[in-house]
Amino acid sequence: MARVAVVTGSNKGIGLACIRALCKQLKPDDVVYLTARNPELGKKAVADLEKEGLKPRFHQLDISNKASVEALRDHLKKEHGGLDILINNAAIAFKSKDPAPFSEQAKVTNGVNYFDNAQAYHILSPLLRPNARVVNVCSFVAVMTWGKMGDDLKEQFRKLATEEELNTIVNKFIDLAAKDEHTKHGFPGTAYGFSKVALSAFTRLQDRIFEKDTARPGIAVFAADPGWVVTDMSSGSGKKNVDEGADTLVWLAMRPEGDLEGRGEMYSDRKLNKVFL
């Protein structure tokens, strides 16, 4: 059976590099979907890769739009019957000099990077076949942010048992940020960093569920840190190019059947880099 891979937010940057690597590493009959909010940009990215001799397919996807995610799900189910690799790469980050108030940054950033990614995951994950791999793209910034969080808040994360509990914590951050009181309650002063802490926690919770899934054995959910990569999001600064940034993400996505070491945790440069110490 041909394997099917999807990378969200993949018309440029690290996502596009993941598509390129997957096309090269998977078998010729396997299917790799490049996705983008803007169909024109997505199709152009596919055309550029075709010039390199690669053959990804395109499907429109906006993780902030439930109907868009459901359309992708329905297409995958009809055409392929399932999904084997899901790299959740789509994300946003406000620039350091962005004039938007922190309250807005907290709401928008966590809305996309946590809540929208979680929604997309829940819509697509029923399609995951046995031994599938999910890679949630997090960041080394999550580790840095963890170090700036209050002890009580850290303990809440360590004791998380349900997604509902995690949602409550993220919503509390957004609500307190709206009143400029977030730091008084142990929350960090970075919306992006906190969104990646939340996504890392989400990764752990979802992987625990799959550990007990006897109907679909071998599925694992990982978090991955691409590192400091030169992209539009980083305003062109960084120490890695996009292919280097995609390396750990694709390595996790291609982990063979039975190789579940470090499941639920974050990897950096192919090594464990646990967030919740």
Side-chain angles (χ1 to χ4, degrees), residues 226-244:
W228 189 18
V229 183
V230 178
T231 62
D232 290 346
M233 187 177 287
S234 68
S235 299
S237 61
K239 294 184 177 181
K240 291 182 176 182
N241 61 40
V242 291
D243 294 317
E244 293 169 331

Side-chain angles (χ1 to χ4, degrees), residues 145-164:
T145 301
W146 177 259
K148 299 175 182 178
M149 289 164 48
D151 290 340
D152 290 345
L153 181 59
K154 288 181 179 178
E155 194 60 22
Q156 291 179 50
F157 270 95
R158 293 189 186 103
K159 293 181 177 180
L160 280 174
T162 68
E163 186 178 339
E164 289 72 23

Side-chain angles (χ1 to χ4, degrees), residues 57-198:
R57 300 186 190 181
F58 172 73
H59 199 284
Q60 192 276 339
L61 177 65
D62 179 357
I63 67 167
S64 298
N65 185 322
K66 184 178 180 182
S68 174
V69 186
E70 290 174 337
L72 173 61
R73 176 202 61 196
D74 294 345
H75 171 82
L76 294 172
K77 186 175 182 179
K78 178 181 178 181
E79 295 296 323
H80 310 289
L83 179 63
D84 302 284
I85 292 173
L86 174 61
I87 300 181
N88 290 312
N89 171 72
I92 64 166
F94 284 79
K95 305 297 184 183
S96 59
K97 296 183 179 179
D98 195 294
F102 187 79
S103 57
E104 179 183 342
Q105 294 189 30
K107 183 176 182 179
V108 174
T109 304
N110 284 273
V112 174
N113 296 357
Y114 172 64
F115 285 113
D116 288 347
N117 267 294
Q119 172 180 261
Y121 170 87
H122 285 303
I123 292 172
L124 297 175
S125 61
L127 296 178
L128 294 171
R129 293 191 274 235
N131 304 304
R133 299 288 180 261
V134 179
V135 180
N136 293 322
V137 181
C138 293
S139 173
F140 65 92
V141 178
V143 178
M144 297 168 60
T145 301
W146 177 259
K148 299 175 182 178
M149 289 164 48
D151 290 340
D152 290 345
L153 181 59
K154 288 181 179 178
E155 194 60 22
Q156 291 179 50
F157 270 95
R158 293 189 186 103
K159 293 181 177 180
L160 280 174
T162 68
E163 186 178 339
E164 289 72 23
E165 293 172 352
L166 177 56
N167 291 345
T168 297
I169 294 174
V170 178
N171 280 319
K172 183 177 180 180
F173 172 62
I174 293 171
D175 292 342
L176 289 171
K179 297 181 285 187
D180 196 25
E181 295 179 357
H182 51 289
T183 57
K184 297 178 183 178
H185 295 265
F187 287 95
T190 163
Y192 178 80
F194 187 74
S195 74
K196 294 303 185 178
V197 170

Side-chain angles (χ1 to χ4, degrees), residues 48-59:
D48 290 341
L49 289 175
E50 288 176 341
K51 294 175 184 177
E52 299 178 25
L54 306 176
K55 297 181 179 180
R57 300 186 190 181
F58 172 73
H59 199 284

